[in-house]
Amino acid sequence: MASFAVACRMSARLAARKVQQDAATRGFRTSAAALAAQNFTMPALSPTMTEGNIAAWRVKEGDKFSAGDVLLEIETDKATMDVEAQEDGILMKVMQADGSKGVQVGTRIAVIAEEGDDIASLQIPAEENSPAAQSAQTPSPQSPPGELQSAAPSAPAAAPTPAPGAKTFKQTYPLYPSVAQLIKQHGIDKAAVSSITPTGPGGRLLKGDVLAFLGKINAATPSTISARFNKASHLDLSNIKVAAQKPAPKQAKPAPPPPPPAPAKSLVSLPVSLVAVIEAQAKIQKTLGIFLPLSTFVARAADVANDALPLPAGYQPTADELFNQVLGLDKVGAAPAGSRGAYVPQIAALPPAGAVVVGPKKAAKKVDILDVLAAAPRKPAAVKKTAVVPGASAAGPNLFSLRVPKAEERRAQVFLERVKVVLENEPGRLVL
């Protein structure tokens, strides 16, 4: 919209200048007030615009306006644009009302006057493109010799011709439509076109190049614009410096993961009597003269009880067992119903009922200096006693216990029951 607004202002400004020039070329008038009223024509809002529609007037007849005020809205086949006033003035007469369609560019659409003029005393000038205006500009044989006639329209200037030996350029065809139309309007031949310096992308000829060749604009303008666009299209990296690489921040060592919680364990216990074991011990010592401690009987009983224990809950077969299952060897013959254990029972003596007596503590014996200086009394020879398992009792029952995971409770219970059977019923088989 910004580009359309700029084009609108330029077209309106050019139209105002053209009105002043035409007024000067038509001749002198006897009324000075008539010069204040000017025709306001349909502006060209784009280079390709030939006609437009008047959507609405923003200023009414007789109203004053200032430079920059929107006079009317014009519709084209592309957009709707506002026409702004270039100078202060008064809208004297509207010639093309709201909704007018197909108004040609250059056709009078209103009459404006200068600020401070009395529009009631002003004359409406004739339309420039009307038949009356054209006939007035044509010399008439009946005109008085002394009357000043309007000047004949000047012929368009001839297109410049290239100088001999001038540098030629190979133009890229087809030309842009705006360039081809401009060349056709000014009658530029192909030889002259070859002498125009192209500044467009890819060496193409632009409209500005032709205008500079015709002298309509400054000759250095196309090259200046082309240089600016070429500079903007390339990224200048000469002033860019590579930043120094920052050291990576030191990361704290992650804390070691906490150890997995120990599986919960259960206490499995069973009372076992060692009376039969002591009898077998005495019988072996009497007949063979060999003393076997109770720890030997307990160790051999544990070894017998650890054989072929039931599998624990969630048991994972070994590689050999899986291989035998794949080959079907587990179904040939009697497969082991369990696995060997490695349990060692903990033994503690159970106190007999009523054996615990709580009484007054004995007073500590006072030590006399004479007892210290005197020789220590000679102790009688030690009587050899029957060796037992530490913590076990030969007279009363003993508590055999194991602390195992919950999944092995059944397995530990079977182990203790086997130990109990061997030690209480048949301890003699442990020494055979």
Side-chain angles (χ1 to χ4, degrees):
M1 292 302 295
S3 60
F4 284 119
V6 172
C8 170
R9 296 190 187 98
M10 294 179 63
S11 300
R13 191 179 294 113
L14 293 175
R17 292 177 182 176
K18 187 175 184 304
V19 169
Q20 295 176 359
Q21 294 175 0
D22 292 346
T25 55
R26 281 199 303 268
F28 299 99
R29 299 180 184 272
T30 57
S31 174
L35 296 177
Q38 303 174 2
N39 290 328
F40 184 75
T41 60
M42 170 67 77
L45 303 182
S46 66
T48 59
M49 177 178 172
T50 58
E51 62 180 21
N53 305 328
I54 298 178
W57 284 92
R58 296 288 187 86
V59 181
K60 298 181 180 179
E61 292 184 359
D63 293 347
K64 298 180 180 180
F65 55 86
S66 302
D69 293 346
V70 178
L71 298 179
L72 74 160
E73 294 180 1
I74 295 178
E75 294 179 351
T76 64
D77 56 346
K78 298 180 180 179
T80 300
M81 292 160 286
D82 298 336
V83 178
E84 298 180 357
Q86 303 300 315
E87 299 176 353
D88 300 345
I90 305 173
L91 183 61
M92 180 176 175
K93 182 68 175 179
V94 175
M95 297 299 182
Q96 299 290 340
D98 297 349
S100 300
K101 305 291 184 179
V103 180
Q104 297 292 326
V105 174
T107 303
R108 181 175 65 176
I109 58 176
V111 178
I112 58 176
E114 297 181 358
E115 184 179 6
D117 292 344
D118 184 9
I119 59 177
S121 59
L122 296 179
Q123 298 179 1
I124 298 178
E127 186 176 1
E128 301 171 10
N129 296 333
S130 63
Q134 295 177 359
S135 61
Q137 296 176 5
T138 304
S140 175
Q142 289 82 11
S143 300
E147 185 179 355
L148 181 63
Q149 302 293 332
S150 61
S154 59
T161 56
K167 185 178 180 180
T168 58
F169 301 91
K170 184 179 180 180
Q171 307 296 351
T172 302
Y173 289 91
L175 301 174
Y176 290 131
S178 58
V179 176
Q181 182 181 6
L182 192 61
I183 291 175
K184 183 178 180 181
Q185 288 178 351
H186 292 81
I188 305 175
D189 58 1
K190 192 171 184 180
V193 172
S194 301
S195 64
I196 303 176
T197 304
T199 60
R204 297 189 69 90
L205 195 65
L206 300 180
K207 185 177 180 180
D209 302 333
V210 181
L211 293 176
F213 176 76
L214 295 174
K216 302 291 185 180
I217 61 175
N218 189 356
T221 300
S223 58
T224 303
I225 297 176
S226 177
R228 184 170 68 250
F229 276 98
N230 291 335
K231 183 179 180 180
S233 62
H234 295 82
L235 184 61
D236 185 12
L237 303 178
S238 59
N239 296 329
I240 297 179
K241 297 181 180 180
V242 179
Q245 186 176 6
K246 297 181 179 179
K250 296 182 178 179
Q251 297 181 355
K253 294 183 178 180
K265 292 188 176 182
S266 301
L267 180 63
V268 181
S269 58
L270 190 68
V272 179
S273 176
L274 299 178
V275 175
V277 176
I278 294 174
E279 293 177 354
Q281 183 187 39
K283 187 176 180 180
I284 293 171
Q285 186 177 6
K286 183 178 180 180
T287 57
L288 300 178
I290 299 174
F291 175 75
L292 294 177
L294 293 180
S295 58
T296 302
F297 288 90
V298 174
R300 293 183 178 181
D303 184 68
V304 173
N306 275 315
D307 190 21
L309 289 174
L311 298 176
Y315 172 76
Q316 299 295 333
T318 62
D320 293 338
E321 294 173 353
L322 292 175
F323 184 73
N324 292 336
Q325 291 178 8
V326 171
L327 298 179
L329 299 179
D330 57 334
K331 300 179 181 179
V332 178
S339 62
R340 181 169 180 79
Y343 295 125
V344 178
Q346 301 293 327
I347 305 172
L350 291 175
V356 179
V357 179
V358 179
K361 294 183 180 179
K362 294 182 179 181
K365 183 180 179 180
K366 295 182 179 180
V367 181
D368 194 356
I369 189 61
L370 297 178
D371 297 334
V372 176
L373 296 176
R378 187 176 181 180
K379 295 182 180 180
V383 180
K384 189 175 183 180
K385 297 183 179 179
T386 303
V388 297
V389 180
S393 173
N398 298 274
L399 187 66
F400 283 52
S401 60
L402 291 172
R403 189 171 293 276
V404 295
K406 289 184 175 296
E408 300 184 19
E409 289 182 358
R410 174 59 183 164
R411 183 181 174 92
Q413 185 69 29
V414 173
F415 169 78
L416 293 178
E417 290 176 355
R418 291 180 179 179
V419 172
K420 180 179 176 68
V421 171
V422 173
L423 293 178
E424 291 183 353
N425 299 333
E426 43 186 356
R429 59 178 283 198
L430 299 175
V431 296
L432 296 178

